[in-house]
């Protein structure tokens, strides 16, 4: 069982974020900077923020992200930013009690922030994985807020494993009042020390205590699971297999008392992003009001020679049967545009053929580029009809040079994932925007569109809604294959990023997929 920690509540560092316009050449949407890295420890890179998640409930949006990125895994702390007025204004701060750099914590660093809300207990949760000075990951923790995401507790332990290799946690709660499991919260993670074995833990008291970590019925391995909860209480967990060559899913229909075996949803065909950028085809999952699950990821099956990634999606009403993979028609399949790191949102007040979807993502205008020539941009598209057709894309930020990003042993980084949520009828993505370093100091921070982006065809400043492009007209290229060898899944504990650095694993994405077991250590 997990250990219960006394909640030591602290006053947040809450300051109103400034509304600013991106200083990049082609972006045409006003952005709000949500936070900035205040830390000065010499062991990590400043000023940097990476890998944001978001969740919304009513008019409240909470985002969380790593701050002060270490080259070999994690950040100085987890930052948070909260809006209680559908993204009009934000306050921000940093979670106490996890790391030694903020609020008296004992860990050196922390990674993988995930946000959830428990409506039954009026509690916001941010789960994360603390990292020791020797770059081991022994536990998953949750920080709690009972005042609308404006102050946060010292962490509560979800689970602790002796092999100290936990990775890619994700949390969600059952917020449907009529569900038999209303108020159950679920945290997913994988155990790298056990060949990336998938685990789930359940809380029924607002995250104060957590049940035992449970495996799937077939002892599945995986990475990057994102659980969602249907209105009837069924939990569906889309997740990549451990070497990111297939999308899987597993479920629980009894409130987390047990978990099914995994179903293979589809294979994944992935293109290696130019310039050695840290990226991959991890899923982004959301659910509509009826309980339909949407999962999106980057995939090259529609591109001849796998020369670039599209964003694709599939849907399910039960977590076991899934629709054919459909391409989001952002650019032509013969274009050189590469799309990756998507953050999907579904307006949970909509459903079925009227479901409103928003998709924030990064892209290269020219896929064939090098570390010195790649231009990184942020884009957004939406669908007013459940993914049947999509708006013309709009650019939110960029271009950015890869040399402006914090470095990791797996390449320059903005995140292994980003996120988008609906509030007040508009989509609010949170993503990282970098500017040129000054005086040797980086400048990468978390941003969101200032007014949100429209979910319908109503004109919105900077948002091209002149036409919809139907999806589902493209067919995969026969025999499509990834443009890199599949990773080898470790049968013993995979290496930490620190160990990878010692072996000199700093090459392009294709090389790290060959050399790092199971994509080892997405922290």
């Amino acid at each position: 069982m997990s250990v219960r920690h006394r909640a030591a509540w602290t006053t947040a560092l809450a300051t109103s974020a400034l509304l600013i316009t991106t200083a990049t050449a082609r972006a045409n949407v006003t952005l709000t900077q949500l936070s900035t890295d205040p830390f000065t420890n010499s062991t990590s890179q400043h000023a940097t923020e990476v890998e944001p998640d978001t969740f919304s409930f009513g008019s409240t949006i909470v985002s969380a992200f790593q701050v002060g990125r270490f080259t070999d895994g994690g950040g100085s702390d987890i930052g948070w930013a909260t809006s209680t007025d559908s993204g009009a204004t934000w306050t921000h701060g940093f979670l106490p009690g996890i790391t030694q750099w903020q609020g008296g914590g004992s860990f050196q660093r922390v990674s993988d922030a995930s946000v959830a809300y428990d409506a039954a207990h009026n509690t916001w949760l941010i789960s994360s994985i603390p990292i020791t000075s020797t770059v081991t990951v022994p536990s998953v923790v949750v920080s709690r807020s009972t005042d609308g995401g404006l102050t946060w507790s010292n962490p509560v332990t979800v689970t602790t494993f002796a092999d100290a290799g936990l990775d890619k946690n994700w949390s969600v709660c059952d917020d449907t009042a009529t569900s038999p499991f209303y108020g159950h919260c679920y945290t997913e993670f994988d155990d790298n020390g056990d060949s990336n074995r998938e685990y789930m833990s359940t809380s029924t008291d607002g995250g104060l205590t957590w049940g035992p970590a449970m495996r799937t019925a077939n002892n599945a391995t995986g990475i990057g699971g994102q659980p969602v909860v249907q209105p009837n209480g069924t939990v569906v967990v889309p997740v990549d297999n451990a070497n990111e060559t297939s999308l899987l899913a597993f479920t629980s229909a009894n409130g987390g008392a047990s978990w099914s075996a995994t179903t293979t949803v589809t294979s994944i065909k992935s293109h290696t992003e130019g310039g050695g950028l840290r990226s991959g085809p991890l899923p982004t999952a959301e659910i509509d009001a009826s309980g339909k699950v949407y999962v999106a990821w980057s995939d090259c099956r529609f591109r001849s020679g796998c020369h670039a990634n599209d964003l694709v999606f599939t849907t399910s009403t039960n977590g076991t049967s899934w629709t054919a993979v459909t391409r989001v028609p952002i650019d032509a399949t013969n274009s050189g545009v590469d799309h990756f790191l998507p953050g999907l949102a579904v307006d949970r007040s909509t459903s079925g053929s009227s479901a409103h979807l928003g998709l924030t993502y990064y892209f290269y205008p020219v896929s064939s580029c090098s570390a010195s020539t790649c231009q990184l941009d942020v884009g957004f598209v939406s669908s007013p009809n459940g993914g049947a057709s999509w708006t013309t894309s709009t650019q939110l930020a960029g271009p950015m040079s890869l040399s402006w990003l914090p470095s990791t042993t797996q390449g320059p980084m903005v995140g292994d994932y980003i996120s988008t949520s609906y509030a007040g009828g508009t989509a609010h993505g949170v993503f990282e925007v970098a500017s040129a370093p000054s005086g040797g100091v980086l400048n990468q921070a978390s941003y969101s569109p200032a007014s949100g982006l429209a979910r319908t065809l109503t004109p919105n400043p900077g948002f091209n809604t002149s036409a919809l492009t139907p999806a589902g007209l493209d067919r995969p290229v026969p025999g499509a294959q990834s443009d890199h060898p599949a990773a080898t899944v470790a049968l013993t504990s995979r290496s930490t990023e620190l160990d990878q650095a010692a072996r000199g694993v700093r090459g392009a994405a294709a090389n790290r997929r060959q050399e790092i077991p199971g994509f080892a250590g997405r922290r």
Side-chain angles (χ1 to χ4, degrees):
M1 297 292 291
S2 60
V3 179
R4 181 174 178 174
H5 289 189
R6 184 177 63 173
W9 296 90
T10 64
T11 301
L13 172 62
T15 58
S16 296
L18 297 177
L19 183 68
I20 64 173
T21 303
T22 55
T24 48
R26 294 197 301 265
N28 54 9
V29 174
T30 301
L31 303 180
T32 298
Q33 182 174 340
L34 305 187
S35 175
T36 191
D37 174 7
F39 299 104
T40 58
N41 57 295
S42 61
T43 46
S44 56
Q45 302 167 85
H46 306 290
T48 62
E49 295 182 337
V50 303
E51 203 162 84
D53 182 36
T54 64
F55 194 84
S56 64
F57 191 86
S59 61
T60 298
I61 311 167
V62 175
S63 180
F65 34 82
Q66 295 181 48
V67 182
R69 174 69 193 189
F70 284 71
T71 298
D72 54 352
S76 301
D77 197 21
I78 297 298
W80 58 267
T82 298
S83 173
T84 59
D85 52 12
S86 299
T89 61
W90 297 77
T91 58
H92 71 94
F94 306 92
L95 295 182
I98 301 176
T99 71
Q100 63 194 62
W101 317 112
Q102 179 69 21
S106 60
F107 290 93
Q108 186 187 65
R109 51 182 100 173
V110 61
S111 188
D112 292 359
S114 168
V115 184
Y117 177 68
D118 180 357
H121 299 94
N122 189 29
T123 300
W124 286 89
L125 306 174
I126 298 176
S127 65
S128 60
I129 48 171
I131 302 175
T132 69
S133 59
T134 56
V135 200
T136 62
V137 190
S139 60
V140 178
V141 301
V142 165
S143 303
R144 305 172 65 249
S145 173
T146 58
D147 65 353
L150 299 177
T151 61
W152 296 85
S153 72
N154 279 354
V156 171
T157 298
V158 175
T159 193
T160 299
F161 274 35
D163 57 43
L166 306 186
D167 198 11
K168 280 289 172 282
N169 52 285
W170 205 268
S171 298
V172 72
C173 299
D174 188 335
D175 291 331
T176 302
T178 56
S179 166
F181 309 112
Y182 180 52
H184 284 215
C185 294
Y186 309 93
T187 292
E188 175 272 350
F189 59 95
D190 71 84
D191 180 13
N192 185 220
D194 186 18
S195 303
N196 296 56
R197 197 77 57 194
E198 276 291 303
Y199 285 90
M200 299 292 300
S201 184
T202 303
S203 173
T204 60
D205 57 7
L208 284 170
T209 60
W210 292 82
M214 303 184 68
R215 295 182 177 185
T216 67
N218 62 335
N219 292 319
T221 60
I223 187 171
Q226 292 199 2
V228 295
V229 188
Q230 296 181 303
N232 65 2
T234 297
V235 187
V236 180
V237 189
V239 60
D240 278 1
N241 68 351
N243 57 7
E244 297 184 36
T245 57
S246 294
L247 177 67
L248 314 175
F250 61 94
T251 64
S252 174
N254 55 16
S258 63
W259 298 89
S260 76
T262 53
T263 297
T264 299
V265 178
T266 182
S267 62
I268 293 173
K269 312 298 181 183
S270 61
H271 163 72
T272 301
E273 269 70 56
L277 181 73
R278 175 172 170 149
S279 65
L282 295 180
T284 172
E286 284 285 340
I287 195 165
D288 73 9
S290 70
K292 178 184 282 189
V293 181
Y294 292 78
V295 183
W297 68 98
S298 58
D299 195 288
C300 65
R301 73 184 65 200
F302 295 95
R303 301 290 185 119
S304 178
C306 193
H307 68 273
N309 284 316
D310 293 298
L311 303 182
V312 302
F313 69 97
T314 181
T315 69
S316 176
T317 58
N318 58 15
T320 55
S321 300
W322 294 82
T323 59
V325 175
T326 301
R327 190 180 81 97
V328 180
I330 302 172
D331 295 286
T333 55
N334 61 358
S335 77
V337 184
D338 188 18
H339 316 77
F340 43 88
L341 297 176
L344 175 67
V346 177
D347 189 334
R348 289 187 297 277
S349 68
T350 65
S351 63
S353 61
S354 299
H356 296 289
L357 282 57
L359 194 58
T360 307
Y361 58 94
Y362 284 91
F363 68 98
Y364 287 157
V366 179
S367 176
S368 179
C369 60
S370 66
S372 61
T373 63
C374 289
Q375 294 190 338
L376 184 65
D377 299 279
V378 182
F380 176 82
V381 292
S382 68
S383 170
N385 50 21
S389 57
W390 294 80
T391 61
T392 301
S393 63
T394 191
Q395 184 173 338
L396 304 182
M400 294 171 269
S401 169
L402 299 188
S403 65
W404 301 353
L405 312 184
S407 63
T408 77
T409 56
Q410 298 178 10
M413 183 181 189
V414 289
D416 293 337
Y417 52 80
I418 61 171
S419 185
T420 311
S421 294
Y422 273 99
T426 57
H428 301 263
V430 175
F431 44 88
E432 307 304 342
V433 178
S435 300
S438 177
V441 178
L442 297 174
N443 183 10
Q444 181 169 295
S446 303
Y447 287 78
S448 186
S451 59
L453 297 174
R455 70 183 184 183
T456 68
L457 298 185
T458 302
N460 192 58
F463 186 42
N464 186 346
T465 58
S466 60
L468 290 174
T469 302
L473 302 181
D474 303 297
R475 296 292 179 266
V477 174
Q481 297 293 327
S482 300
D483 67 353
H484 56 84
T488 301
V489 180
L491 298 179
T492 57
S493 178
R494 71 181 171 184
S495 302
T496 64
E497 288 189 66
L498 183 62
D499 291 335
Q500 295 159 21
R503 295 199 310 268
V505 182
R506 294 187 179 90
N511 291 330
R512 59 176 192 269
R513 286 182 171 116
Q514 289 178 286
E515 297 177 35
I516 301 173
F519 276 158
R522 293 266 192 158
R523 301 178 185 123

